[in-house]
Amino acid sequence: MTKIDHKTELAGSDGIAIPLGSGQRLQLTNTYGSQVVDTWAICADEYDEHLSMEHTRRMTGHLHPVAGDMLWSNRRRKMLLLEEDTTPGTHDTIVACCDRWLYEFYGCPPGHANCRDNYLAALAQLGIETKLVPNPLNLWMNVPVHGNSVSITEPLSRPGDYVTFRAECDVILVLSACPMDVVPSGVAAAINGPDCKPRPVHYELLA
C-alpha cells in the first residue's frame, strides 16, 4: 500500500472523527502496546446508521472480530473490513464505552475525560449533533469470556501492533484513546496496561 498521509498522533484520552471514502484504508497503531481505543463509525449519507456490534456478531458468528471479518451497520450494510490485524489477543465487542456516570460511580471527581464525551465532541467538530452513542468496538481491550462470565484483564497487544480498516461505504470513523486510568474494585487488571496510563496511538491513511 502507498502512504498518502503522514502518521498522525491521537493523544491518550482524546478523540477524533475521520471521514473515509468508500475503499479508503486507515491503519491504526498501538504505539506503546497498552492503549485501548474505542472505535465507532457512522454512515456519511445517513447519520442514524452506525457500526453495530450486535449486528456484526450475528453476521460473522464471532464474539471478537478477526482479520478478514466484515463489520456491519445496524441496517446490515457492510461498513468496514478489518483487513489486517497483528494483535495476538482480542478486540472487545461487549463492554460499553466509559462515560461520566461510570467515573462518578468509581468516585472520580467531576469532569473526568471519557469515551462517550469524546465521541460526541469529535462528531460535533464536523457539525454532526447526536445523542445516540452506540456500543463501540473496543480495539485491544481484553475481555475474556468464561461460560456466562466476563472479566477485564490487561491488553495482550504489543508496541507497534496495528489494525487496518477498509471503508466499504462512505463513513465517518470515530476513535477515542480510552481515558480509563482507574482500577475499580472487582476488576482484575488495568484496562490500559499495568500502570493504567492512557497513551498516544498513531494512525495513517493508506491508498
Side-chain angles (χ1 to χ4, degrees):
M1 299 178 187
T2 303
K3 298 177 183 178
I4 60 175
D5 245 353
H6 293 298
K7 198 172 284 190
T8 302
E9 180 177 289
L10 175 62
S13 299
D14 282 358
I16 192 169
I18 307 166
L20 296 177
S22 180
Q24 195 166 18
R25 293 170 170 86
L26 180 139
Q27 188 173 97
L28 178 66
T29 301
N30 199 335
T31 311
Y32 295 92
S34 58
Q35 181 62 46
V36 168
V37 180
D38 288 39
T39 304
W40 299 264
I42 62 173
C43 290
D45 60 356
E46 179 54 74
Y47 297 155
D48 289 338
E49 187 173 2
H50 58 79
L51 186 64
S52 169
M53 293 301 95
E54 52 267 43
H55 290 79
T56 294
R57 291 193 297 264
R58 174 66 179 85
M59 298 297 282
T60 63
H62 292 158
L63 185 60
H64 309 290
V66 298
D69 274 356
M70 189 66 65
L71 309 181
W72 297 76
S73 81
N74 57 317
R75 298 179 187 171
R76 302 190 195 275
R77 187 189 339 188
K78 296 177 180 179
M79 289 193 72
L80 295 170
L81 174 67
L82 180 53
E83 193 173 68
E84 297 179 293
D85 182 10
T86 68
T87 307
T90 61
H91 307 292
D92 170 62
T93 67
I94 300 173
V95 177
C97 66
C98 63
D99 52 47
R100 65 187 71 177
W101 305 287
L102 180 66
Y103 291 109
E104 179 182 334
F105 178 78
Y106 289 160
C108 298
H112 194 291
N114 63 84
C115 287
R116 183 181 187 275
D117 285 350
N118 283 350
Y119 174 83
L120 296 173
L123 288 179
Q125 286 289 317
L126 299 181
I128 302 171
E129 300 293 335
T130 181
K131 294 182 179 179
L132 173 66
V133 182
N135 200 51
L137 169 60
N138 295 306
L139 292 171
W140 298 297
M141 188 171 179
N142 191 14
V143 183
V145 177
H146 305 283
N148 196 35
S149 299
V150 297
S151 57
I152 299 175
T153 60
E154 293 175 15
L156 299 176
S157 44
R158 306 152 300 196
D161 274 338
Y162 64 86
V163 296
T164 303
F165 293 112
R166 187 183 76 202
E168 297 297 307
C169 59
D170 293 346
V171 302
I172 299 169
L173 187 70
V174 183
L175 307 172
S176 174
C178 183
M180 179 60 72
D181 57 1
V182 296
V183 183
S185 175
V187 174
I191 288 174
N192 285 321
D195 62 359
C196 210
K197 180 179 179 180
R199 287 183 165 85
V201 294
H202 290 80
Y203 66 90
E204 57 185 324
L205 300 179
L206 307 172

